[in-house]
Amino acid sequence: MDEYYMKLAIEEANKAAAIGEVPIGAIIVYKDEVIASAYNLRETTKNATTHAELLAIQEACNKLENWRLEETTLYVTLEPCPMCAGAILQSRIPRVVYGARDAKAGCVDSLYHLLNDSRFNHECDVTEGVLAEECGNLLTEFFRDLRAKKKNQKRQL
Amino acid sequence: MDEYYMKLAIEEANKAAAIGEVPIGAIIVYKDEVIASAYNLRETTKNATTHAELLAIQEACNKLENWRLEETTLYVTLEPCPMCAGAILQSRIPRVVYGARDAKAGCVDSLYHLLNDSRFNHECDVTEGVLAEECGNLLTEFFRDLRAKKKNQKRQL
């Protein structure tokens, strides 16, 4: 079931790539129903907070009319950054499933373990590595294409 | 000057208290101009992400039409939580001034030093303790009043 939902998160990430946004996607499942889906929109919105996870959390809070997202699972293609890990704690999401690790900014396993610190008033059950290769490849290919485009633009100048 | 701007953040916190929200306020200053001001709205919005800092950052991004909030200073009455500290990093705010420490969830000095970790792609200049007592008292009084109200309600039942 985790792979099924992660594929939906990957579909979201692909929507980001299609408009030139770094391809990261997230969905939130509540009682076997997808109640929120979002992708990174930072460049489009010119708003630093519009990461996939944060947008999905805001949508889910609206949907459930509650800032506590109990009985939900968040699926995201990349390990959450400090902001998104913090938003997961704030919204009390009980379970988080992510695809690829983010060695540079990941705050679930890579740099910090923010979702499993007993000093905070919430901790999450975390599953990592679901479709990790596919999730990671999306990013690798996106940045490879971006570099190629920039190289071509320079040649044409 | 820091005290002047912190007083504006305290005014925001008072607006939160007036509607029964935990009194935390934030403002963002860009080139000597206040470009964003916000207060905690979690209960009103039923949205876990509507902390004062996050709302102020979103407003400032809209105002500057940029996800990079260069040349800004964020003033906030309470030490930021992981979500808000992460949003500060994401929006590249160069300077953060806060009032009271948050021993339970503060991620600038208390539990973590997220704004000063050279592994991230951004670090902040941090000033703490500006009007700290006033900022902290706001919270102490708010929770004391809340407990008193709850006690009275129980008596009336």
Side-chain angles (χ1 to χ4, degrees), chain A residues 42-43 46-49 51 54 57-58 61-62 65-67 81-83 86-87 89-92 104-105 107 111-114 117 119-120, chain B residues 42-43 46-49 51 54 57-58 61-62 65-67 81-83 86-87 89-92 104-105 107 111-114 117 119-120:
Chain A
R42 188 177 67 172
E43 303 298 334
K46 296 183 169 56
N47 178 329
T49 72
H51 282 192
L54 214 84
I57 288 170
Q58 289 168 338
C61 288
N62 286 340
E65 295 183 351
N66 202 329
W67 61 260
C81 76
M83 174 179 74
L89 294 176
Q90 289 298 340
S91 55
R92 313 285 196 266
K104 286 183 187 169
C107 283
L111 302 184
Y112 291 96
H113 295 83
L114 292 184
D117 180 338
R119 296 173 302 175
F120 289 131
Chain B
R42 188 177 66 172
E43 304 298 333
K46 296 182 169 55
N47 178 328
T49 72
H51 282 192
L54 214 84
I57 288 170
Q58 289 168 338
C61 288
N62 286 341
E65 295 183 353
N66 201 329
W67 60 261
C81 77
M83 174 179 73
L89 293 175
Q90 289 298 340
S91 56
R92 313 285 196 266
K104 286 183 187 169
C107 282
L111 302 183
Y112 291 97
H113 295 83
L114 291 183
D117 180 337
R119 297 172 302 175
F120 289 131

Side-chain angles (χ1 to χ4, degrees), chain B residues 59-124:
Chain B
E59 190 184 339
C61 288
N62 286 341
K63 208 65 80 69
L64 299 183
E65 295 183 353
N66 201 329
W67 60 261
R68 288 180 194 85
L69 299 179
E70 286 164 6
E71 297 181 70
T72 62
T73 300
L74 179 136
Y75 292 83
V76 57
T77 56
L78 186 69
E79 182 183 359
C81 77
M83 174 179 73
C84 293
I88 288 163
L89 293 175
Q90 289 298 340
S91 56
R92 313 285 196 266
I93 292 175
R95 182 167 183 248
V96 171
V97 181
Y98 73 86
R101 280 205 181 195
D102 181 359
K104 286 183 187 169
C107 282
V108 178
D109 289 297
S110 296
L111 302 183
Y112 291 97
H113 295 83
L114 291 183
L115 301 187
N116 292 99
D117 180 337
S118 59
R119 297 172 302 175
F120 289 131
N121 57 7
H122 182 71
E123 289 188 66
C124 301

Side-chain angles (χ1 to χ4, degrees), chain A residues 28 30 35 56-72 87 90-93, chain B residues 41-50:
Chain A
I28 294 176
Y30 172 72
I35 59 163
I57 288 170
Q58 289 168 338
E59 191 185 337
C61 288
N62 286 340
K63 209 65 81 67
L64 298 183
E65 295 183 351
N66 202 329
W67 61 260
R68 290 180 193 85
L69 299 178
E70 285 164 9
E71 296 182 70
T72 62
Q90 289 298 340
S91 55
R92 313 285 196 266
I93 293 175
Chain B
L41 277 173
R42 188 177 66 172
E43 304 298 333
T44 307
T45 59
K46 296 182 169 55
N47 178 328
T49 72
T50 53

